[in-house]
């Protein structure tokens, strides 16, 4: 059986390098995760509380930027190459984007890790959301810019490959995996404009000392313009695997290709004009605009509900092919001993919990209860921390043998690892959600004050802490098992990969889907109009009230105070004075 690495050796090399880069980031992120979970719950303190935000920034950035996006580019390169049956037009260009992304990651890592030593004054304790008034060293912003430029170039390379394919196949539909890559990249191009403006026009000049101040609300809004779509940027490679690989692993075929296309188009249209749902509590944006954004967010649930239907229907089809019967009896016929299958299915299950908590977040009135509480890290860890991360780990058990040509060293350790992740996340996030509901704050090293007990939701904070610490430790152990399995597999040369990489056609194929779905220009144009409607007035208001480079302090003392207090709640009371100092 010929595998991917035999057919496309040079592409397989880039994909391998992307995966290894991603796993290095996962290693760092997992170590930092363990340190902070034990610190916050006061079980064991490896560090001083003054270093807590350095650890938290490292954990966030290495996990949700480096780990996820390096894995994404590997999966996308695999998806484009295998579905178009051709490599990039120029492989040197491919190595260039990989190089630019790597350089950017190294700069960001140096800017963060230098915060642990007093030998230099470089530090970037700004958390993964890096809003003003927190300020990072210029290297941090430069690294991020390079990283994003690397992803833009990667997208350009995939579009370029598709254009050459189209010349050879003028009347054919875009193969589904490539369709998913291209639509995701359109969403990414549109949304990264926000963060590019925020960094290049404001944050970088400010950290270089070229301007004295910035308008925190403007940079926050530009960040969230990008910050909501970025969560789907992490999610779309997981969806790509759920739609294309999970049905096959279940023993069947994708239920509907047209429905899958509709889902990805809905993400282009609706991912960006919802970012303000992260700012319901920000003063300075009129309630009416927030209400519109809430409505858009509720519409945005649709593609995920469609996904739940299509993916579970495909799994059921597979189970019935394997002899499964009954309303629910078919669940038993699924291949639960296969770590790739079980990992992805459990990731999907956890995504349902996370999806429902997302609906709570998105409701303006309920958001006031959960914003900036421990509930939010609960949501984050069910979503990117499991739906995405666990799918990537499960997907690695299927993909890594194909791109290395090596057999997975231990399937049983793989199976144990994915189940362990599931158990760990259930303990950790359940306690985070409950803690958040009684007001325990997020992003603080010292939540050990009293008054959170509230029967029957929370018996005692000690019980919640124990569950969070236990869950976090299990997640760390699970990550170690995964990384160990991958490391041994990388060196397991001379073995046979034993993975069948072919993907069966969908039950309802592209011939059933209207051609207009492949009109990418049309969907991009509609997306831009929706963004203009959602953002032009709030942005105009923010600039009018607060100025491009910061509010006029004399004219708006109350406004400045309100912004600094709201930002302060996100970080810690310790930094209140320094934040005031920067703004005023
Ligand atoms: Fe979110 C905050 C709303 C999805 C990540 N979100 C965050 C933050 C992160 C994040 C990182 O409206 C914190 C940012 C920060 O640091 O401040 N989120 C939503 C909504 C959705 C949603 C409505 N979020 C995600 C995804 C993420 C992610 C995906 C990462 C990958 N989120 C919010 C809001 C906030 C927020 C507010 C701000 C909160 C605040 O106050 O700060 C929706 O997209 C969710 C839709 C999902 C579903 C579930 C469908 C179920 C499926 C499962 C199928 C089952 C299978 C398996 C395949 C409706 C598809 C079956 C298995 C068998 C065995 C049969
Ligand atoms: Cu969001």
């Amino acid at each position: 059986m010929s595998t991917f690495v035999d057919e496309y050796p040079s592409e397989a090399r880039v994909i391998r390098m992307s995966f290894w880069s991603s796993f290095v980031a996962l290693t760092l992120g997992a170590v930092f995760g363990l340190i902070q979970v034990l610190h916050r719950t006061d079980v064991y303190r490896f560090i001083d509380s003054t270093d807590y935000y350095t650890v938290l920034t490292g954990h966030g950035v290495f996990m949700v930027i480096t780990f996820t996006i390096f894995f994404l580019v590997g999966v996308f390169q695999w998806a484009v190459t295998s579905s178009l049956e051709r490599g990039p037009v120029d492989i040197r260009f491919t190595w260039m984007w990989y190089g630019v992304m790597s350089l950017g990651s190294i700069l960001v890592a140096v800017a963060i890790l230098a915060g642990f030593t007093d030998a230099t004054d470089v530090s970037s304790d700004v958390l993964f959301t890096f809003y003003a008034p927190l300020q990072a060293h210029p290297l941090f912003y430069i690294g991020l810019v390079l990283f994003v430029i690397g992803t833009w170039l990667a997208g350009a390379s995939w579009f370029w490959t598709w254009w050459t394919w189209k010349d050879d196949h003028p009347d054919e539909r875009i193969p589904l995996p490539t369709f998913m890559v291209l639509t995701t990249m359109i969403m990414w191009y549109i949304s990264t404009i926000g963060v590019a403006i925020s960094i290049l026009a404001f944050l970088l000049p400010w950290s270089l000392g070229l301007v004295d101040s910035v308008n925190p609300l403007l940079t926050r809004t530009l960040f969230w313009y990008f910050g909501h779509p970025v969560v789907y940027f992490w999610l779309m490679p997981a969806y790509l695997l759920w739609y294309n690989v999970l049905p096959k692993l279940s023993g069947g075929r994708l239920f509907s290709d047209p429905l899958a296309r509709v889902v990805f188009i809905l993400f282009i249209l609706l991912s960006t004009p919802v970012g303000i749902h992260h700012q319901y509590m920000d003063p300075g944006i009129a309630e009416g605009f927030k209400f519109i954004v809430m409505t858009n967010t509720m519409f945005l649930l649709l593609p995920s509900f469609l996904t739940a239907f299509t993916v579970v229907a495909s799994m059921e089809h597979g189970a019935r092919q394997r002899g499964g019967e009954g309303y629910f009896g078919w669940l038993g016929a699924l291949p639960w001993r296969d770590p790739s299958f079980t990992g992805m299915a459990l990731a999907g299950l956890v995504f349902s919990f996370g999806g429902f908590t997302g609906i709570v977040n998105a409701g303006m009135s309920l958001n006031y209860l959960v914003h900036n509480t421990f509930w939010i890290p609960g949501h984050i860890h069910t979503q990117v921390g499991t739906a995405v991360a666990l799918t990537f780990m499960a997907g690695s058990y299927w993909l890594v043998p194909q791109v290395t040509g090596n057999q997975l060293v231990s399937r049983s350790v793989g199976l144990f690892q994915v189940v362990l992740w599931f158990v760990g996340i259930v303990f950790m996030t359940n306690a985070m959600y409950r803690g958040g509901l009684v007001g325990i704050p997020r992003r603080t090293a010292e939540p050990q004050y009293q008054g959170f007990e509230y029967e029957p939701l929370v018996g005692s904070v000690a019980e919640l802490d124990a569950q969070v610490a236990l869950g976090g430790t299990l997640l760390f152990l699970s990550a170690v098992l995964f990384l160990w399995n991958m490391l041994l597999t990388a060196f397991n040369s001379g073995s046979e990969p034993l993975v069948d990489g072919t993907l069966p056609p969908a039950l309802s194929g592209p011939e059933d889907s209207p051609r207009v779905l492949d009109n990418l220009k049309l969907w991009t144009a509609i997306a831009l109009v929706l963004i203009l409607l959602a953002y032009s007035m709030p942005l105009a208001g923010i600039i009018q009230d607060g100025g491009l480079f910061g509010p006029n302090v004399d004219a708006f003392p109350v406004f400045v105070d309100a912004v600094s207090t709201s930002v302060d709640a996100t970080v810690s009371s310790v930094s209140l004075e320094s934040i005031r100092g920067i703004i005023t």
Side-chain angles (χ1 to χ4, degrees), residues 430-516:
N430 178 274
M432 285 175 162
Y433 283 132
R434 284 160 58 217
L437 289 180
V438 292
I440 295 180
R442 70 183 287 200
R443 291 182 161 175
T444 170
E446 310 291 347
Q448 280 81 28
Y449 38 94
Q450 299 302 312
F452 293 122
E453 288 78 5
Y454 178 69
E455 293 280 0
L457 204 56
V458 174
S460 75
V461 174
E463 174 234 312
L464 287 187
D465 275 350
Q467 286 188 36
V468 172
L470 171 69
T473 309
L474 295 182
L475 290 171
F476 176 76
L477 293 175
S478 174
V480 170
L481 290 179
F482 168 75
L483 291 161
W484 174 81
N485 217 347
M486 283 296 119
L487 191 69
L488 294 189
T489 302
F491 291 104
N492 194 20
S493 47
S495 55
E496 280 294 314
L498 299 183
V499 176
D500 168 16
T502 54
L503 297 174
L507 285 171
S508 164
E511 63 288 351
D512 295 334
S513 71
R515 281 202 164 260
V516 65

Side-chain angles (χ1 to χ4, degrees), residues 97-406:
W97 61 248
Y98 171 78
V100 175
M101 283 178 70
S102 304
L103 178 64
S105 311
I106 292 169
L107 296 186
V108 171
V110 168
I112 297 172
L113 298 177
F116 285 117
T117 148
D118 294 333
T120 91
D121 60 358
V122 177
S123 89
S124 304
D125 301 342
V126 289
L127 311 180
F128 84 94
T129 40
F130 56 90
Y131 323 119
L134 298 180
Q135 192 185 55
H137 189 271
L139 269 187
F140 178 86
Y141 302 115
I142 296 170
L144 276 181
V145 168
L146 286 176
F147 187 79
V148 170
I149 291 177
T151 61
W152 287 348
L153 297 175
S157 156
W158 300 322
F159 271 96
W160 192 8
T161 315
W162 168 59
W163 286 321
T164 59
W165 176 90
K166 212 162 55 158
D167 288 343
D168 301 340
H169 304 80
D171 294 320
E172 274 182 46
R173 302 303 295 270
I174 310 173
L176 187 60
T178 299
F179 180 87
M180 292 175 164
V181 170
L182 301 181
T183 44
T184 305
M185 290 315 293
I186 291 174
M187 179 191 82
W188 183 242
Y189 285 123
I190 296 176
S191 64
T192 41
I193 295 170
V195 77
I197 297 177
S198 170
I199 294 181
L200 293 175
F202 303 110
L203 298 177
L204 182 58
W206 176 55
S207 86
L208 286 168
L210 301 176
V211 294
D212 290 339
S213 64
V214 294
N215 176 344
L217 185 57
L218 177 60
T219 53
R220 273 168 81 87
T221 308
L222 288 171
F223 177 84
W224 284 120
Y225 167 95
F226 147 88
H228 187 78
V230 76
V231 311
Y232 295 129
F233 195 56
W234 307 325
L235 184 68
M236 289 308 104
Y239 271 20
L240 189 148
L241 294 173
W242 292 0
Y243 275 103
N244 294 292
V245 180
L246 190 54
K248 178 221 166 79
L249 296 177
S250 311
R253 291 156 63 180
L254 173 63
F255 185 70
S256 167
D257 168 297
L259 215 46
R261 284 178 205 255
V262 168
V263 164
F264 276 72
I265 287 170
L266 285 171
F267 280 119
I268 303 187
L269 299 183
L270 290 172
S271 293
T272 317
V274 295
I276 291 176
H277 69 214
H278 293 262
Q279 299 178 276
Y280 289 143
M281 297 289 275
D282 282 14
I285 302 176
E287 296 293 291
F289 296 139
K290 293 179 182 170
F291 188 86
I292 294 173
V293 161
M294 172 170 76
T295 316
N296 288 351
T297 307
M298 296 304 171
F299 277 115
L300 183 53
L301 297 172
L302 184 66
S304 289
F305 282 131
L306 290 176
T307 301
F309 170 76
T310 315
V311 174
V312 176
S314 312
M315 287 165 69
E316 180 181 347
H317 169 75
R320 295 199 187 279
Q321 300 304 109
R322 296 164 58 92
E325 284 175 355
Y327 280 126
F328 294 108
W330 57 268
L331 283 165
L334 288 165
W336 293 107
R337 287 182 182 283
D338 176 351
S340 304
F341 168 81
T342 302
M344 286 193 212
L346 292 178
L349 197 63
V350 172
F351 188 57
S352 321
F353 315 154
F356 293 122
T357 58
I359 301 174
V360 170
N361 298 346
M364 270 170 83
S365 46
L366 286 174
N367 184 269
Y368 298 158
L369 177 70
V370 297
H371 184 63
N372 276 343
T373 70
F374 217 14
W375 169 282
I376 301 298
H379 173 72
I380 298 177
H381 287 86
T382 44
Q383 302 296 79
V384 62
T386 298
V388 174
L390 186 56
T391 300
F392 286 1
M393 292 189 264
S396 301
Y397 293 137
W398 190 78
L399 281 169
V400 167
Q402 295 183 55
V403 295
T404 54
N406 301 347

